[in-house]
């Protein structure tokens, strides 16, 4: 059974001029446990909309998302999400930012501390527990956002352009953590513009354009032998 099944997802909305716009057209995708699926495509093609629907943050117009065979309604603790913006509470320390979701979930204090230590160590930020977000670099904030999600022990992690707002020297910090998660077998779906990373770490790469999956393949075939003309054009501009 796939970890995530996306079945016949459509999304329409009304734009500012009152026109109906279809952002997603009959999206179907199965993601196996331990798979690392990368989604690439031009701006405005529907990548982030799809991820928000999978995360339960946005309702689809039609279709459904299944997690381990069960329909997903709204947000789920079993699905961790990291966006472009780390969205940390500026008035809470790193420790309290990470603990926030665990407290709501009723995780005992001792276990909260154990999880904090484990994942803070994983992202090499030991000693930063009592710092505030304003004292962190962009890359450090994103790593803490990843820790915050991992501490909930999700079955699946979703990443929406997690490095797009970072300075180039900070990008590697975040990609390194994601690479480690992939090696540990975490199921991940990642919207990214980092083509080299998608090629290196992804088990499958999808090209989304105009709200449709136009092509999907292994990284080698996707980048070396693209079949779709629009994908060929896209890759010629970004690689």
């Amino acid at each position: 059974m796939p970890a995530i099944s996306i079945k016949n997802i459509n999304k329409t909305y009304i734009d500012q001029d009152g026109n109906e716009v279809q952002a997603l057209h009959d999206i179907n995708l199965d993601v196996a446990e331990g798979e690392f699926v990368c989604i690439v495509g031009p701006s405005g093609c529907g990548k982030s909309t799809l991820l928000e629907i999978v995360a339960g943050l946005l309702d689809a117009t039609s279709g459904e998302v299944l997690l381990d065979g069960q329909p997903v309604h709204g947000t789920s603790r079993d699905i961790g999400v990291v966006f472009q913006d780390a969205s940390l509470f500026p008035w809470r320390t790193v420790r309290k930012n990470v603990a926030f979701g665990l407290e709501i979930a009723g995780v005992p204090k001792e276990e909260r501390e154990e999880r904090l230590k484990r994942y803070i160590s994983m992202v090499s930020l030991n000693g930063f527990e009592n710092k505030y977000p304003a004292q962190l670099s962009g890359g450090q904030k994103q790593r803490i956002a990843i820790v915050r999600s991992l501490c909930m022990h999700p079955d699946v992690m979703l990443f929406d352009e997690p490095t797009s707002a970072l300075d180039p020297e900070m990008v590697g910090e975040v990609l390194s953590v994601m690479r480690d998660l992939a090696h540990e077998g975490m199921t991940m779906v990642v919207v990214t513009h980092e083509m080299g990373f998608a090629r290196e770490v992804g088990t499958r790469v999808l090209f989304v354009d105009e709200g449709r999956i136009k092509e999907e393949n292994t990284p080698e075939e996707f980048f070396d032998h693209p079949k779709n003309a629009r994908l060929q054009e896209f890759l010629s501009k970004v690689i």
Side-chain angles (χ1 to χ4, degrees), residues 102-121:
L102 297 173
E103 291 169 356
I104 292 176
V107 176
K109 183 176 180 179
E110 185 175 331
E111 185 175 348
R112 293 202 302 264
E113 281 297 313
E114 288 178 1
R115 294 190 193 186
L116 175 70
K117 289 178 182 178
R118 175 187 173 189
Y119 292 111
I120 284 285
S121 178

Side-chain angles (χ1 to χ4, degrees), residues 77-118:
R77 292 172 186 166
D78 295 321
I79 301 177
V81 189
V82 178
F83 294 105
Q84 298 176 23
D85 183 347
S87 300
L88 302 178
F89 297 120
W91 59 89
R92 295 174 73 102
T93 63
V94 164
R95 180 186 305 277
K96 291 184 178 179
N97 263 285
V98 172
F100 182 73
L102 297 173
E103 291 169 356
I104 292 176
V107 176
K109 183 176 180 179
E110 185 175 331
E111 185 175 348
R112 293 202 302 264
E113 281 297 313
E114 288 178 1
R115 294 190 193 186
L116 175 70
K117 289 178 182 178
R118 175 187 173 189

Side-chain angles (χ1 to χ4, degrees), residues 9 12 81 101 161 165 191:
I9 290 292
T12 59
V81 189
E161 298 276 17
V191 169

Side-chain angles (χ1 to χ4, degrees), residues 123-149:
V123 301
S124 302
L125 286 176
N126 303 79
F128 284 77
E129 294 87 348
N130 295 317
K131 291 187 179 294
Y132 288 87
Q135 297 173 288
L136 306 178
S137 71
Q140 289 168 340
K141 289 177 185 177
Q142 280 295 60
R143 284 187 278 164
I144 293 303
I146 294 172
V147 167
R148 182 177 54 189
S149 288

